[in-house]
């Protein structure tokens, strides 16, 4: 049997691995931003300075467990980042297309550095929100460029694993944020400043790394730099015989150059399959409920009866599970395939959400607390939920859209995927605390219902893309799918 590994020979080179890791620091920044906000919003010094009304409600023991953190400004602190990312992902798409993936990653790092400085040094709520917006611009640029960079630079037989480095570093960033929050929660009165300001460390690594990494061969060839593209391909593959792969990339770029307006091309009938898949994956990824848990894990654990330190420690536990489970995905995605991982996770996530909902509905009153065994069981169920998400919908939500668009609409199509992700991340971040206040335990049944819908989507609409060369997806995937082949020319 002829495999893509035989067709396009490559070696695992130290330079290629370094490029993968340095670019993936864009994911670490995203994860740190996700994880840090939940812990900071649980710190008394932070609330006293910026959200004194929330702090007052928190002090009242008789305050409704489900509603004591329900504050639109507090939610805006978290969600403003994602609204900025939504808008600037389209700007990043044009920059990716016209200037390349590497400069786009560099711009992302600059905004990350500026956002970390403003957030850590904030003297008022306006400065705090502007800092979060700058971080959001960085997320928009980074989340657009990094997955594309990783998919284009990876050899075919390792594309899934390499792309999942982005999500792995997201989970590492979340874990680091949880550890930092756990350490700074006792640093009065400026522990929150340390937590927010330390985002500058991975931002600096990304900045330096973006200078030294290569541009992707696809981007170089697409912009008329064929000799540089050929040299870059030889360098990252570690072999001299790259003619066949170079020819395939060049042919795809020739087709791409005939497209003057990629966003208009996305409206063509043949662009419907990857566009629908890319958008729906992002919607479903957010409606698993994962970001509601990861954003507000400390707040959530406080709600179900843990004290502040215990809730932060529980977040560290779930963050560790998140990282280790993403490693499972790196091993399994190119062996087991995308669809099987997604379907298995749907079953596990559904069971966890339903069980958490029933436990809270039966055991947690508005002003009471859970018994220690029930609270411990909640933590276990959250860990099992995070585990299944981390080897499936988390990484594959980024991988599949980055590999299914043809080169002529790849940056534009992925921009729609990124912006959809940021839009629904913003909606969940802005609405979750209010939803928890009004829906109470039923919020977990809400997410469970969405997980059922996702299962149907995978069964009937999501094709398998394992081991298919990135520029042959249309020929080998869409043209042969029972539903999507009707849309192909």
């Amino acid at each position: 049997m002829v495999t893509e590994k035989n067709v396009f020979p490559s070696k695992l080179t130290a330079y290629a691995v370094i490029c993968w890791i340095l670019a993936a620091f864009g994911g670490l920044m995203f994860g740190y931003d996700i994880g840090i906000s939940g812990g900071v919003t649980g710190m008394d010094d932070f609330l006293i300075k910026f959200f004194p009304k929330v702090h007052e409600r928190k002090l009242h023991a008789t305050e409704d467990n489900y509603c004591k953190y329900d504050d639109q400004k507090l939610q805006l602190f978290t969600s403003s980042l994602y609204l900025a990312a939504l808008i600037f992902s389209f700007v990043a798409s044009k920059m990716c297309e016209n200037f390349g993936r590497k400069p786009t990653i560099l711009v992302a790092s600059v905004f990350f550095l500026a956002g970390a400085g403003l957030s850590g040094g904030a003297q008022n709520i306006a400065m705090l929100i502007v800092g979060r917006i700058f971080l959001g611009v960085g997320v928009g640029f980074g989340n657009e460029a990094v997955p594309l960079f990783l998919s284009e630079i990876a050899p075919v037989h390792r594309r899934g694993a390499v792309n999942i480095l982005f999500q792995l570093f997201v989970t590492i960033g979340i874990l680091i944020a949880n550890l930092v929050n756990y350490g700074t929660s006792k640093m009065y009165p400026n522990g929150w400043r340390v937590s927010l300001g330390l985002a500058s460390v991975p931002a600096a690594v990304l900045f330096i790394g973006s200078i030294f990494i290569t541009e992707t061969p696809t981007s170089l060839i697409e912009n008329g730099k064929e000799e540089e593209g050929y040299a870059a391909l030889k360098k990252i593959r570690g072999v001299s015989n790259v003619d066949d792969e170079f020819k395939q990339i060049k042919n795809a770029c020739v087709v791409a150059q005939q497209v003057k307006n990629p966003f208009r091309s996305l409206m063509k009938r043949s662009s419907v399959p990857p566009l629908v898949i890319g958008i729906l994956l992002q919607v479903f990824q957010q409606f698993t409920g994962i970001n509601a848990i990861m954003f507000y894990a400390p707040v959530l654990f406080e709600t179900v009866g843990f004290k502040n330190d215990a809730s932060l420690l529980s977040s560290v536990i779930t963050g560790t599970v998140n990282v280790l489970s993403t490693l499972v995905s790196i091993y399994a995605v190119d062996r087991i395939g995308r669809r099987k991982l997604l379907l298995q996770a749907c079953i596990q996530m559904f069971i966890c959400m339903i069980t958490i909902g029933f436990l809270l509905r039966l055991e947690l009153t508005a002003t009471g607390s859970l018994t220690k065994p029930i609270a411990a069981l909640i933590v276990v169920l959250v860990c099992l939920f995070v585990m299944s998400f981390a080897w499936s919908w988390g990484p594959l939500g980024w991988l599949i859209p980055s590999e299914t668009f043809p080169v002529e609409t790849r940056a534009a199509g992925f921009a729609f995927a990124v912006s959809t992700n940021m839009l629904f991340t913003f909606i969940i971040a802005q609405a979750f605390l209010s939803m928890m206040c009004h829906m109470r335990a039923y919020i977990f049944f809400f997410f469970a219902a969405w997980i059922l819908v996702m299962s149907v989507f995978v069964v009937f609409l999501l094709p398998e893309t394992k081991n298919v060369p990135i520029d042959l997806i249309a020929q080998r995937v869409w043209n042969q799918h029972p539903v999507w082949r009707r849309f192909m020319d």
Side-chain angles (χ1 to χ4, degrees):
M1 178 180 176
V2 177
T3 67
E4 284 71 24
K5 185 174 181 179
N6 301 131
V7 174
F8 301 139
S10 66
K11 295 179 181 177
L12 186 63
T13 66
Y15 177 72
V17 172
I18 290 170
C19 285
W20 300 342
I21 291 172
L22 289 175
F25 263 82
L28 195 147
M29 272 301 314
F30 182 37
Y32 190 88
D33 290 332
I34 289 173
I36 208 69
S37 57
V40 166
T41 53
M43 294 183 187
D44 288 341
D45 293 320
F46 177 81
L47 293 175
I48 290 169
K49 184 169 182 65
F50 296 109
F51 306 99
K53 291 182 180 178
V54 177
H55 183 255
E56 282 296 317
R57 288 209 303 269
K58 182 181 176 182
L59 292 177
H60 291 96
T62 57
E63 186 70 39
D64 190 324
N65 273 321
Y66 291 100
C67 297
K68 60 185 175 182
Y69 287 96
D70 180 19
D71 184 270
Q72 287 299 309
K73 287 184 179 178
L74 181 61
Q75 291 173 112
L76 183 62
F77 163 70
T78 297
S79 63
S80 57
L81 183 151
Y82 304 96
L83 187 59
L86 185 163
I87 296 167
F88 280 90
S89 61
F90 289 102
V91 179
S93 166
K94 297 300 292 183
M95 186 168 186
C96 267
E97 181 186 333
N98 295 326
F99 299 100
R101 285 48 164 160
K102 178 178 174 176
T104 309
I105 295 173
L106 177 63
V107 170
S109 68
V110 171
F111 277 104
F112 281 138
L113 285 167
L118 280 170
S119 299
Q123 298 301 316
N124 52 58
I125 195 168
M127 191 173 174
L128 185 72
I129 298 299
V130 170
R132 291 289 289 179
I133 290 172
F134 271 48
L135 289 171
V137 176
V139 167
F141 276 84
N143 285 23
E144 169 73 16
V146 172
L148 291 180
F149 176 90
L150 293 173
S151 284
E152 291 180 348
I153 205 172
V156 174
H157 61 288
R158 289 195 175 98
R159 189 177 66 237
V162 171
N163 188 278
I164 288 172
L165 282 175
F166 175 78
Q167 180 67 17
L168 175 64
F169 274 63
V170 171
T171 64
I172 292 172
I174 293 170
L175 176 59
I176 291 172
N178 289 334
L179 289 168
V180 167
N181 281 334
Y182 186 68
T184 59
S185 61
K186 299 295 185 184
M187 294 173 58
Y188 305 112
N190 292 315
W192 63 270
R193 290 193 186 277
V194 177
S195 290
L196 295 176
L198 281 176
S200 59
V201 176
V205 175
L206 184 65
F207 177 80
I208 296 169
S210 64
I211 296 172
F212 289 101
I213 61 176
T214 183
E215 181 57 272
T216 70
T218 299
S219 182
L220 290 168
I221 296 167
E222 191 178 12
N223 286 287
K225 301 176 182 178
E226 292 189 11
E227 291 184 6
E228 292 179 39
Y230 187 81
L233 189 60
K234 287 176 65 176
K235 190 172 184 179
I236 60 176
R237 294 293 180 257
V239 296
S240 57
N241 181 22
V242 295
D243 291 352
D244 288 341
E245 187 173 4
F246 177 79
K247 183 179 179 181
Q248 180 189 294
I249 296 172
K250 185 177 176 181
N251 289 341
C253 290
V254 169
V255 174
Q257 287 168 358
Q258 297 171 4
V259 176
K260 302 302 181 185
N261 190 326
F263 284 100
R264 185 177 297 170
S265 295
L266 283 174
M267 301 301 109
K268 290 168 51 179
R269 185 175 174 82
S270 60
S271 295
V272 169
L275 186 61
V276 170
I277 293 291
I279 289 174
L280 286 181
L281 277 171
Q282 307 310 312
V283 175
F284 292 146
Q285 187 191 73
Q286 297 313 307
F287 278 96
T288 60
I290 185 64
N291 276 341
I293 288 175
M294 301 312 293
F295 286 150
Y296 301 111
V299 172
L300 180 65
F301 287 130
E302 278 193 57
T303 296
V304 299
F306 287 76
K307 299 301 182 184
N308 190 51
D309 285 352
S311 68
L312 286 172
L313 182 59
S314 299
S315 301
V316 171
I317 294 170
T318 57
T320 304
V321 169
N322 202 9
V323 172
L324 296 177
S325 300
T326 305
L327 292 173
V328 173
S329 186
I330 289 176
Y331 174 80
V333 67
D334 290 317
R335 293 172 173 82
I336 296 175
R338 284 67 161 153
R339 280 167 50 89
K340 289 180 181 178
L341 285 175
L342 292 172
L343 286 171
Q344 182 281 328
C346 282
I347 296 170
Q348 189 167 326
M349 290 190 297
F350 179 80
I351 293 170
C352 291
M353 279 296 190
I354 288 291
T355 309
I356 292 172
F358 273 118
L359 287 174
L360 295 184
R361 178 70 183 87
L362 296 173
E363 301 291 338
L364 185 65
T365 61
T367 57
S369 62
L370 295 174
T371 63
K372 287 185 178 181
I374 296 296
L377 181 56
I378 294 287
V379 173
V380 170
L381 289 166
V382 167
C383 287
L384 288 171
F385 175 88
V386 170
M387 181 187 300
S388 56
F389 177 88
W391 63 50
S392 60
W393 288 88
L396 300 185
W398 296 107
L399 166 61
I400 294 171
S402 74
E403 67 182 4
T404 50
F405 287 98
V407 66
E408 62 267 24
T409 57
R410 189 169 297 152
F414 196 67
F416 271 96
V418 173
S419 62
T420 302
N421 186 285
M422 294 301 109
L423 172 62
F424 283 89
T425 304
F426 168 78
I427 291 170
I428 293 295
Q430 188 65 25
F432 175 68
L433 293 179
S434 298
M435 288 170 68
M436 188 165 66
C437 178
H438 292 92
M439 297 176 69
R440 301 177 180 271
Y442 290 105
I443 190 171
F444 295 96
F445 301 137
F446 170 81
F447 289 126
W450 275 99
I451 292 169
L452 281 180
V453 175
M454 292 155 50
S455 305
V456 175
F457 161 78
V458 174
V459 170
F460 293 103
L461 294 179
L462 188 69
E464 181 57 70
T465 51
K466 179 183 73 171
N467 288 335
V468 181
I470 193 169
D471 292 311
L472 295 178
I473 294 289
Q475 177 183 332
R476 297 195 185 179
V477 174
W478 305 125
N479 283 336
Q480 299 179 26
H481 192 272
V483 175
W484 299 123
R485 66 188 178 190
R486 303 170 191 172
F487 291 84
M488 305 309 294
D489 297 328

